[in-house]
Amino acid sequence: EKGYGGEDHAMCSNDLSNHDMLEFFANNFGMHDPREVVVVMGFHSASTVNRDNSGFGNIGREDGWVENADEYILSNKYYQSMKNFVWELQRVENVDPVPTRYQWYFDPLDAGPIMTNSDMSLLYNFDGYMQADKNGVEGLVMCLTNPEAEFEIEGLEDEDIPLCPMAESTKEFVDMYADDNDLFIKDFGPAMNKILNWGYHTYD
């Protein structure tokens, strides 16, 4: 059999709330089980970003979603990183044509792993808290993920910022995979295979 391709799918936005994330994967890849969505996002453990291309990360280096991301090892460190660090929101100024972004970081020197809003929405419910800022940049989240976190977005330092509610539909799976790497590896293959083969057609 030879493949002749499948449907064209839009890329997942970096600024999806929990509800929008689940809806995206259900509509585009037939994933109606939140557990599948959570496990397939774990591919970020073996991924890096380049600031010059994506607008995320740090200038002059490739960063990922976990420490030592450039080793490209698939593991549950993605979930452990999400749970175990105090993440703070940061506005990342870029130069056209690369858009300015909002990202999450925990390294005070801005030199470590990052998370996007879509990543963090697996653990936190940003519905009603995510908006565009005064300059039209999408992804400003007006809640804190940890009581120890600081909110240091210019012009909003004096705002009373609440804690983000938890994402009840997916948090249990983030917790589950953070605690069990073998289970994550076991579940990852079938979920990724579903994405790779969704809408794919063959002919003789």
Side-chain angles (χ1 to χ4, degrees), residues 12-26 31 33-35 37-38 41 78 82 116-130 141 164-174:
C12 179
S13 168
N14 303 295
D15 298 313
L16 294 181
S17 68
N18 184 267
H19 170 79
D20 292 336
M21 170 79 78
L22 296 178
E23 187 176 70
F24 173 85
F25 278 94
M31 287 186 164
D33 184 349
R35 180 170 175 168
V37 176
V38 173
M41 288 291 287
Y78 171 71
M82 190 182 300
T116 70
N117 286 329
S118 294
D119 295 299
M120 297 294 281
S121 73
L122 297 179
L123 195 55
Y124 302 98
N125 183 2
F126 295 150
D127 284 326
Y129 294 94
M130 189 163 20
V141 176
C164 304
M166 305 307 293
E168 298 301 332
S169 60
T170 50
K171 178 183 181 298
E172 64 175 299
F173 304 118
V174 173

Side-chain angles (χ1 to χ4, degrees), residues 84-171:
N84 295 340
F85 296 110
V86 177
W87 293 91
E88 298 180 356
L89 191 66
Q90 173 188 45
R91 181 179 158 120
V92 183
E93 301 288 343
N94 295 306
V95 179
D96 285 340
V98 180
T100 293
R101 304 285 199 181
Y102 279 98
Q103 69 182 16
W104 297 85
Y105 74 101
F106 69 82
D107 191 320
L109 299 179
D110 298 350
I114 62 97
M115 292 276 175
T116 70
N117 286 329
S118 294
D119 295 299
M120 297 294 281
S121 73
L122 297 179
L123 195 55
Y124 302 98
N125 183 2
F126 295 150
D127 284 326
Y129 294 94
M130 189 163 20
Q131 62 190 52
D133 65 19
K134 63 181 180 180
N135 297 313
V137 177
E138 298 290 339
L140 172 61
V141 176
M142 297 293 289
C143 61
L144 300 172
T145 61
N146 191 291
E148 299 178 15
E150 297 182 4
F151 192 82
E152 299 181 331
I153 303 301
E154 185 177 354
L156 298 172
E157 296 90 346
D158 296 330
E159 294 286 331
D160 185 16
I161 307 298
L163 286 174
C164 304
M166 305 307 293
E168 298 301 332
S169 60
T170 50
K171 178 183 181 298

